[in-house]
Amino acid sequence: MVVPDDTSGPDGQLRLAPGETLRFGRTSASAPASTSADGPAAFLTIPHHGVSRRAGEITAAGSYWTLSNLSRTSTYVVENPEGAGEHIKIAPGRIDAPIPFEFSRVVLPAADDLLSFDIWAPRHDYADEPGDDHGGEPTTHAFPLDRTKRYFLVLAALCEPRLRGAPHAPPPTADQVVDRLRPVWPTASRTAVQWNIDYLAVKFRLKHPPDSADCGPRLNGKKESLVSLALRFDLVREPELAVLEAGAAAP
């Protein structure tokens, strides 16, 4: 389902069955006839002088969809609004790029503006029993986390701004983390928060332990690196931010 930016209800939404194509651009006048067996493809008009007349095509394909960028110069970005900054870049001329997100936002650079529209794909299916651990030694986790420990509170507080819908937000400062953790950690201090940040950096192998022979170079942007890695591998998800709220079980 394609939802134009100015659509607030069912009216104006465009539904595509598997195999159907939606073209989009400034005007449909120059769009050639569809080769679909179901007749002419639908067209989403984006009336902006910075959008190509024939800007791109969207094709539904089961639980995913594909995007063709027919622009000669502009790179399109497909964002996952639920992915805290997760996105895919579609280069000019790229045809039938598969998009795996259930909920997507297509962003088009248009002169002095950024235009967008949303796409909802069918719900994804998952295996009932993922993995291959059927007896024998268990698989070692790459990033083992104990979500009852205070270091996870600190990590959740660092990731919160991006998980709450600000994908480009800088990580909060140590003092801001202290203030955020007061409801569940009344004795939190800047020193304690910084210690946990350092501990996470070692745990995630971003830096060597302090007692190692080679401590390595100083790690700049430590909080940014922690947040980037945690969100990239889904180590913190939005539902887990509940640990930050008053009344949550304190570690």
Side-chain angles (χ1 to χ4, degrees):
M1 179 172 63
V2 180
V3 184
D5 189 46
D6 57 352
T7 301
S8 59
D11 294 340
Q13 297 177 357
L14 302 166
R15 296 180 180 273
L16 300 177
E20 291 184 340
T21 295
L22 172 71
R23 294 193 171 104
F24 61 91
R26 187 163 80 242
T27 173
S28 61
S30 61
S34 170
T35 56
S36 169
D38 298 325
F43 195 92
L44 172 62
T45 301
I46 305 176
H48 191 287
H49 67 277
V51 176
S52 300
R53 290 179 176 82
R54 185 173 173 236
E57 295 180 351
I58 293 164
T59 300
S63 61
Y64 70 99
W65 53 280
T66 66
L67 174 62
S68 295
N69 181 354
L70 303 181
S71 167
R72 295 182 179 178
T73 58
S74 296
T75 294
Y76 299 162
V77 174
V78 183
E79 299 175 340
N80 177 7
E82 301 173 318
E86 185 180 20
H87 67 277
I88 296 174
K89 296 190 294 183
I90 311 299
R94 176 72 160 89
I95 301 296
D96 291 335
I99 309 299
F101 309 140
E102 288 187 44
F103 177 32
S104 306
R105 176 163 298 129
V106 180
V107 182
L108 311 177
D112 56 352
D113 204 354
L114 291 176
L115 309 178
S116 66
F117 55 88
D118 295 339
I119 297 181
W120 292 84
R123 186 179 65 183
H124 293 175
D125 295 325
Y126 296 91
D128 293 332
E129 298 181 1
D132 56 357
D133 294 331
H134 299 291
E137 292 295 324
T139 301
T140 301
H141 292 288
F143 306 106
L145 291 176
D146 186 342
R147 286 163 170 75
T148 68
K149 301 296 186 182
R150 282 176 174 162
Y151 69 74
F152 186 76
L153 284 178
V154 173
L155 184 60
L158 290 173
C159 295
E160 183 180 32
R162 296 189 187 183
L163 286 172
R164 294 293 192 195
H168 306 297
T173 65
D175 290 332
Q176 290 172 327
V177 172
V178 170
D179 293 339
R180 183 66 182 92
L181 296 181
R182 291 292 187 198
V184 291
W185 186 4
T187 61
S189 67
R190 192 178 191 280
T191 300
V193 165
Q194 192 59 55
W195 185 92
N196 279 275
I197 290 173
D198 289 337
Y199 174 79
L200 285 165
V202 173
K203 189 176 185 66
F204 287 173
R205 300 184 294 279
L206 296 174
K207 62 178 293 187
H208 296 290
D211 57 351
S212 65
D214 180 12
C215 293
R218 178 179 177 85
L219 177 63
N220 295 316
K222 191 182 308 178
K223 297 194 296 294
E224 176 69 36
S225 297
L226 286 172
V227 171
S228 177
L229 188 146
L231 296 180
R232 181 181 300 175
F233 291 101
D234 287 339
L235 304 182
V236 182
R237 299 172 183 267
E238 187 173 358
E240 294 172 316
L241 297 180
V243 301
L244 302 174
E245 304 304 329

